[in-house]
Amino acid sequence: HTEMRPADGMVLVAAGPKLKKAADTDIRPTCTAGPVPDGKDPRIANPILTGLITCRNISMAEFADRLSTVLSDDFKTPVADGTGLTGRYDLQLSYTKDMRAANATPIVRPKAAAAAADAPDEASDPNGAISLMDAFQRQLGLKFEQQKRPTQVLVLDHIEETPTEN
């Protein structure tokens, strides 16, 4: 049977939010890995940014809920919303998926891209790389905290030590 038990989980919290209110609240909320249809992709100016999440007209509760799907390699358990923020937002988050490879490989970029990458709110590394957690904090003003919270688990009440015949 299943029951609720305390377990470690990630909670998304506000840390000086830098969120843009949704431009069009009549559209269906979306959150995808990649650019929006308008084609604006910050990875063009800085190729070391290999990850991109774009969300439109999304609440923080919906955003936290979708993170374990959109970023399934990084979040193995559901993320809970602890921001306390209401409203709907358009957001874009660009980051470097593999920081080890980014730090090992020097990147030669055009001068315009290098200047953009050196902006204080974008880069956490001289080559323009930024980790996922740093990107959340610097670009969105959000961070994660690990907390114990009720989680649905499968409980085995009894198991036979030796198998029975079929």
Side-chain angles (χ1 to χ4, degrees), residues 135-154:
F136 266 95
Q137 180 107 25
R138 293 178 182 200
Q139 296 171 19
L140 303 178
L142 304 171
K143 66 179 184 176
F144 295 92
E145 292 180 354
Q146 192 166 7
Q147 297 177 359
K148 292 270 188 200
R149 51 178 229 248
T151 305
Q152 190 170 15
V153 297
L154 177 65

Side-chain angles (χ1 to χ4, degrees), residues 23-82:
D24 185 0
T25 56
D26 293 332
I27 64 170
R28 184 177 63 85
T30 60
C31 200
T32 59
V36 291
D38 69 5
K40 293 180 182 175
D41 190 339
R43 298 175 298 180
I44 294 169
N46 188 355
I48 198 78
L49 300 175
T50 53
L52 179 67
I53 301 167
T54 303
C55 300
R56 297 182 67 203
N57 190 32
I58 197 157
S59 70
M60 285 295 102
E62 291 166 333
F63 181 55
D65 187 49
R66 292 182 186 187
L67 283 176
S68 59
T69 303
V70 175
L71 294 170
S72 59
D73 291 341
D74 300 288
F75 297 100
K76 302 298 182 198
T77 61
V79 176
D81 174 31

Side-chain angles (χ1 to χ4, degrees), residues 96-160:
T96 306
K97 288 184 180 183
D98 186 355
M99 288 297 289
R100 290 178 303 215
N103 290 330
T105 307
I107 301 294
V108 177
R109 292 173 283 155
K111 288 182 181 180
D118 291 336
D121 284 353
E122 295 296 327
S124 62
D125 190 272
N127 67 5
I130 184 168
S131 72
L132 179 61
M133 295 306 163
D134 282 348
F136 266 95
Q137 180 107 25
R138 293 178 182 200
Q139 296 171 19
L140 303 178
L142 304 171
K143 66 179 184 176
F144 295 92
E145 292 180 354
Q146 192 166 7
Q147 297 177 359
K148 292 270 188 200
R149 51 178 229 248
T151 305
Q152 190 170 15
V153 297
L154 177 65
V155 178
L156 298 175
D157 292 320
H158 178 76
I159 190 166
E160 295 291 331

